[in-house]
Amino acid sequence: MLIEDQQLLFYQRCDRRAFLDVYGDQSQKEPISDFLRKLIADSVTYRKTIIADRIYSQPKYPPQDWEAGMQATLELMRQGVDYIYRGVLLYHSHSSPVADYGDRSFFDQLPEQVTYLSRPDLLVKKPGVSQFGDWLYIPQDIRLGKRPKLDYQIVAVFHGEILAAIQGVMPEEVILLLRDRGAYSVDLKQRLPQMREIVQDYLTLIQNSQEPDIFISRQKCSLCQWYTHCHDIAQSQKNLCLLPGITPIRQTRLNSLNLTSVESLAQTQPEILQTYPEFDNGVAVQVIRQAESVWKNQAILKVDIDDIANVKSSKNGSKKYLPDPFWLQAPVELYFDIEAQPDMNLDYLHGVLVVDRRSQIETFYPMLAETAADEARIWQDFLALMWRYPIAPIFHFCDYEAKTISRLAKLYQTPSYLWRPLIKRLVDVHYQIVETVTLPVESYALKSIARWMGFEWRDAKANGAQCVCWYEEWLKTGDRTLLDAIVRYNEDDCRATYHVRRWLADFVQSQSVGAEVNFL
């Protein structure tokens, strides 16, 4: 059995993914997405940037021939080269090791005979004593991330454990080279026992050949090639993990109470769950209502009609709850959505849908920066459009638009009278939805909500991550069809926000028969 560092990385993120990578039907994996391909390419580029100012040696060996790679790496270590780039560390447990530290290697203390493989980005020579002479090596991993994530730390310590068995001494430290943050020294005392436990758990998973339960985590699963496979199974099972608000620890608790179906959860009394810490502070009512909404496939109003028209504001000024009749009957409404390029800290598209109720005309304005230098210009174009309709509400979805207005105003030293009034005109449709109604959806993201309400994007596969890839490709190739696709997607986002806002107003009115407030 071969255990690689990459397998341990994936196992920490999802035990099911680690299992399927070994035992799953590989034909059921999705192709690598453009965005994942971009992340991989960005990681390679960043790694090359880091090593560019170092004089290093790299072992040469046939592809996938790890034994040859190990021997080539050992030869460089014996020579005492200062930096070894992408060396191969290979250790066969329960065999004659090259060297040993302490009484026995940790890997030899495990009952199974396993080969362990790791490939740290750098092996760096340091003063000390090892089986090679008066020097030893420490591993350094180059990570595109800005934070020393636990899974990164565990893999770095895994490098160190194998290196210790090879050179005869535990490295004095293991390092993560992070974007922006620079070198981060992993706490070996804390992380070494954790790494060993993870290795043992992974071995148990693989040897037992028992497929782990499904849990769909939209943030963690979105880039996984097994996502569609697992999601289809979860849907066929009507798995509780597809309910918003259900976390792994909450699902475990529900399973212990034999609440394993949407129907059973929907019919549960909140008092049964409220005694458990996972469901206190109103969570019990929330998840039961969510289950009921999905079970009945209908929207459920969360607030009293009398409270609907109360306007509250967030810290950034964006209005929350349903706006009062003035906002819903405004002669002109603006729907605003931004596309950004995070790596460049660039907001390159301000899309605004102008809905003029007086003339019954809807007009979409794409203010597009074809290069980074155009950002200042489109910011001014955006401000001019906003002040063309000085009292129109500006609807958006989530808080990115509000934050971006503040950021760009500061960046371009915009007078406060030109942008602060805009903040007060913002209306967060997402907040209105989540505070007002429970929907039979898997998430409260715009796509999930709008599609349930009958809206469809013209390009079904387009999303924000894909737009990041398209814009990067546009900058490289000048292919305007890519910009056209981005603008089309952005317009659909604006129209989806409009669709959701209209649906919510209609729904609230349908629940307020006899109420004096007219929401349309």
Side-chain angles (χ1 to χ4, degrees):
M1 180 189 301
L2 177 67
I3 293 182
E4 302 180 43
D5 46 12
Q6 194 74 351
Q7 290 172 309
L8 292 184
L9 183 73
F10 292 151
Y11 172 70
Q12 294 175 80
R13 297 174 178 177
C14 176
D15 58 352
R16 181 176 172 83
R17 173 178 180 170
F19 178 89
L20 291 174
D21 281 344
V22 175
Y23 294 109
D25 180 354
Q26 301 301 305
S27 67
Q28 295 178 326
K29 292 178 70 173
E30 296 178 86
I32 295 178
S33 68
D34 289 347
F35 188 67
L36 180 56
R37 201 179 304 277
K38 168 183 161 50
L39 291 179
I40 294 171
D42 288 348
S43 295
V44 171
T45 300
Y46 178 62
R47 194 159 57 229
K48 290 180 179 178
T49 300
I50 293 297
I51 66 171
D53 59 350
R54 292 170 170 84
I55 300 176
Y56 62 87
S57 299
Q58 185 170 359
K60 295 179 173 57
Y61 56 94
Q64 304 296 311
D65 188 343
W66 305 126
E67 290 289 350
M70 172 62 180
Q71 293 306 314
T73 302
L74 272 176
E75 180 57 32
L76 294 174
M77 296 171 81
R78 292 188 184 103
Q79 294 174 17
V81 300
D82 290 333
Y83 295 97
I84 302 174
Y85 177 59
R86 300 295 285 166
V88 176
L89 302 179
L90 199 65
Y91 185 78
H92 305 285
S93 66
H94 300 283
S95 63
S96 299
V98 175
D100 197 14
Y101 72 97
D103 296 328
R104 299 175 68 196
S105 165
F106 156 71
F107 301 119
D108 288 323
Q109 297 174 32
L110 301 176
E112 300 82 4
Q113 186 170 349
V114 178
T115 297
Y116 298 91
L117 168 66
S118 82
R119 293 192 296 159
D121 292 316
L122 285 171
L123 292 171
V124 181
K125 181 182 176 183
K126 296 286 184 178
V129 178
S130 72
Q131 70 112 355
F132 302 117
D134 57 356
W135 67 86
L136 52 80
Y137 285 90
I138 67 168
Q140 294 186 347
D141 259 357
I142 303 169
R143 295 291 182 179
L144 188 63
K146 297 181 180 181
R147 297 184 297 106
K149 298 177 182 178
L150 179 59
D151 50 11
Y152 293 165
Q153 295 185 49
I154 295 300
V155 170
V157 174
F158 180 70
H159 297 325
E161 186 83 71
I162 299 179
L163 183 57
I166 292 170
Q167 68 182 7
V169 59
M170 192 69 180
E172 59 190 27
E173 60 180 350
V174 295
I175 300 292
L176 296 175
L177 298 177
L178 304 169
R179 184 174 49 159
D180 296 343
R181 182 164 182 165
Y184 176 86
S185 181
V186 177
D187 186 339
L188 281 171
K189 184 178 180 180
Q190 181 183 23
R191 301 306 182 198
L192 191 59
Q194 292 175 315
M195 184 278 295
R196 292 174 174 177
E197 182 178 355
I198 287 170
V199 169
Q200 292 177 9
D201 291 345
Y202 177 77
L203 278 172
T204 300
L205 171 74
I206 298 304
Q207 290 177 332
N208 288 347
S209 303
Q210 184 173 351
E211 189 169 338
D213 293 334
I214 290 176
F215 188 87
I216 301 294
S217 172
R218 286 150 197 87
Q219 184 176 6
K220 291 184 178 181
C221 296
S222 61
L223 294 178
C224 179
Q225 292 176 265
W226 294 103
Y227 174 76
T228 299
H229 169 69
C230 293
H231 187 265
D232 288 347
I233 294 174
Q235 279 191 321
S236 68
Q237 297 173 344
K238 297 183 177 179
N239 197 299
L240 291 180
C241 73
L242 297 179
L243 293 179
I246 297 298
T247 61
I249 191 171
R250 288 172 186 166
Q251 186 167 25
T252 299
R253 176 64 69 186
L254 293 174
N255 289 341
S256 72
L257 298 173
N258 201 30
L259 297 172
T260 57
S261 69
V262 172
E263 181 179 355
S264 63
L265 179 57
Q267 296 177 324
T268 301
Q269 294 300 313
E271 293 76 15
I272 295 176
L273 299 182
Q274 287 171 345
T275 58
Y276 300 99
E278 301 92 339
F279 295 98
D280 59 6
N281 296 323
V283 174
V285 173
Q286 172 191 327
V287 298
I288 290 172
R289 184 189 290 121
Q290 186 65 59
E292 181 184 359
S293 176
V294 171
W295 178 42
K296 296 179 178 179
N297 191 30
Q298 67 181 36
I300 301 174
L301 196 65
K302 296 170 75 171
V303 296
D304 293 335
I305 292 297
D306 291 340
D307 294 333
I308 290 294
N310 293 335
V311 179
K312 296 186 177 181
S313 297
S314 66
K315 291 180 179 179
N316 61 29
S318 183
K319 293 184 181 299
K320 300 182 176 183
Y321 297 114
L322 274 177
D324 60 26
F326 165 77
W327 290 97
L328 288 175
Q329 294 181 11
V332 177
E333 297 171 354
L334 309 179
Y335 292 84
F336 176 35
D337 185 67
I338 293 174
E339 302 302 331
Q341 200 73 1
D343 293 344
M344 300 173 64
N345 197 28
L346 170 67
D347 294 287
Y348 65 86
L349 175 57
H350 303 303
V352 179
L353 175 67
V354 178
V355 178
D356 191 331
R357 294 181 181 277
R358 301 164 301 187
S359 60
Q360 298 297 304
I361 294 176
E362 299 173 6
T363 308
F364 178 69
Y365 295 90
M367 286 148 280
L368 178 65
E370 296 188 0
T371 68
D374 293 332
E375 185 184 59
R377 174 185 58 77
I378 68 167
W379 167 240
Q380 296 302 322
D381 291 345
F382 168 76
L383 291 174
L385 181 62
M386 294 301 98
W387 285 107
R388 191 185 305 173
Y389 308 98
I391 63 172
I394 307 168
F395 294 95
H396 60 103
F397 198 89
C398 291
D399 62 356
Y400 183 80
E401 282 69 25
K403 292 178 178 178
T404 299
I405 288 175
S406 298
R407 185 186 75 82
L408 292 176
K410 181 178 180 180
L411 177 64
Y412 294 111
Q413 299 180 341
T414 305
S416 60
Y417 68 86
L418 285 178
W419 69 273
R420 288 193 182 278
L422 303 186
I423 297 296
K424 295 180 180 180
R425 290 163 54 190
L426 292 174
V427 184
D428 187 346
V429 175
H430 175 263
Y431 195 92
Q432 294 176 26
I433 284 285
V434 298
E435 290 297 313
T436 306
V437 67
T438 301
L439 300 173
V441 293
E442 292 184 11
S443 83
Y444 285 84
L446 179 59
K447 272 194 169 61
S448 182
I449 293 172
R451 280 174 171 158
W452 181 79
M453 295 175 181
F455 183 88
E456 283 296 336
W457 277 253
R458 283 170 285 180
D459 186 345
K461 294 184 178 180
N463 55 48
Q466 184 63 59
C467 286
V468 170
C469 298
W470 282 337
Y471 192 76
E472 183 178 81
E473 192 66 18
W474 147 255
L475 293 176
K476 293 177 181 177
T477 67
D479 182 355
R480 293 204 68 87
T481 63
L482 298 168
L483 287 184
D484 294 341
I486 294 171
V487 170
R488 185 166 58 250
Y489 171 74
N490 182 266
E491 179 180 355
D492 285 350
D493 272 359
C494 290
R495 292 189 179 277
T497 304
Y498 177 34
H499 187 90
V500 170
R501 206 279 305 168
R502 285 289 304 272
W503 180 95
L504 183 59
D506 290 343
F507 176 75
V508 171
Q509 186 185 44
S510 73
Q511 303 296 305
S512 58
V513 177
E516 294 182 0
V517 176
N518 177 16
F519 289 97
L520 291 180

